[in-house]
Amino acid sequence: MGLFTHIIFDFDGTLADTSRIILATMQATMRERHLSVAPAEAIRQVIGLPLKDCFAHIYPSMSQSEAMECASTYCSIFDTLKSSFSPTLFPQVRETLHCLGQQGITMSVASSRSHGSLVELLEMLNVRHHLAMVVGVDNVAKAKPDPEAINLLLNATNTNASKALMVGDMPVDIAMGQNAHIKTCAVTWGNSSKEALEKSHPNYIIDHFSQLLKLL
């Protein structure tokens, strides 16, 4: 067997382009809650965090209860908008997942999105069958960058940490992998800048999804 036997993916910005619906829903939530509407760039910087933390980062003076209320409003608006902003897989994702599966690689997803939303989108995009497990923010007590989600996946699949790779588009994904003591791979097509990703010190940085095949 090669260098890695288990690859753990983030979802938003890594497997699928969901930025349009996230931006639209975040800004609609801000208007609904009578908040100053943050620009798209400020929102992109917090994608990947749990919803309440996204709002708390954008509005530092916001209380935890207010952030929770914003998260609840976001979920309601998201359900209304999701049919208008269908996410799409990034180029070569489907083909590469198939090739990885053919090589016997175990694949999972660890995301700050809820488990139900993850499964719904993965099934809609017809890639759920490639994944051994899907872990959402509601499946763990501690969210990214805490390593709980990765540790859960490694334990459930009996994977040694030295054989696992975390793949994500945000520094928080890289930090989660580092906290779990596994190798990390940053992708440049998501919601973070390449400069920010380089500062997070991943083991690898790739510009195209199919480049994962060269890391094995």
Side-chain angles (χ1 to χ4, degrees):
M1 187 61 74
L3 189 59
F4 301 111
T5 62
H6 190 165
I7 299 180
I8 301 168
F9 297 102
D10 171 55
F11 178 74
D12 296 281
T14 300
L15 295 180
D17 186 356
T18 55
S19 60
R20 287 176 63 242
I21 188 170
I22 291 174
L23 293 173
T25 307
M26 286 289 286
Q27 291 180 330
T29 300
M30 292 164 184
R31 288 189 288 269
E32 178 75 17
R33 304 289 307 177
H34 305 292
L35 298 166
S36 59
V37 177
E41 188 53 40
I43 296 172
R44 285 184 185 278
Q45 291 176 13
V46 299
I47 292 176
L49 297 174
L51 276 175
K52 65 179 180 61
D53 294 341
C54 291
F55 289 101
H57 275 72
I58 295 172
Y59 306 102
S61 62
M62 179 177 283
S63 68
Q64 282 294 303
S65 61
E66 288 176 304
M68 289 291 289
E69 289 171 3
C70 286
S72 178
T73 300
Y74 177 100
C75 291
S76 297
I77 294 174
F78 183 89
D79 283 340
T80 302
L81 293 181
K82 64 184 178 183
S83 61
S84 303
F85 293 89
S86 297
T88 57
L89 292 174
F90 285 107
Q92 295 300 307
V93 167
R94 190 183 311 281
E95 296 86 349
T96 303
L97 293 180
H98 175 76
C99 288
L100 291 170
Q102 291 288 97
Q103 295 184 42
I105 304 296
T106 299
M107 293 171 281
S108 301
V109 163
S111 171
S112 293
R113 184 179 290 276
S114 72
H115 182 266
S117 177
L118 272 175
V119 171
E120 179 182 12
L121 292 175
L122 289 164
E123 289 180 346
M124 186 187 78
L125 293 166
N126 195 29
V127 292
R128 173 65 184 89
H129 61 284
H130 290 297
L131 304 166
M133 291 185 67
V134 175
V135 175
V137 69
D138 47 342
N139 298 130
V140 293
K142 296 179 181 178
K144 300 176 183 181
D146 190 275
E148 182 182 354
I150 290 178
N151 291 336
L152 187 160
L153 289 167
L154 298 184
N155 290 334
T157 58
N158 196 31
T159 303
N160 189 294
S162 66
K163 289 289 189 177
L165 177 70
M166 176 68 211
V167 180
D169 71 309
M170 298 296 287
V172 70
D173 299 315
I174 304 307
M176 177 173 65
Q178 291 166 343
N179 290 335
H181 307 293
I182 69 173
K183 292 287 183 20
T184 58
C185 177
V187 305
T188 60
W189 55 80
N191 295 297
S192 182
S193 68
K194 190 168 187 176
E195 180 183 17
L197 290 169
E198 288 172 343
K199 288 180 179 178
S200 68
H201 304 296
N203 297 100
Y204 313 97
I205 298 181
I206 60 174
D207 299 314
H208 304 285
F209 199 86
S210 59
Q211 288 178 305
L212 275 175
L213 296 171
K214 298 178 181 179
L215 303 183
L216 304 180

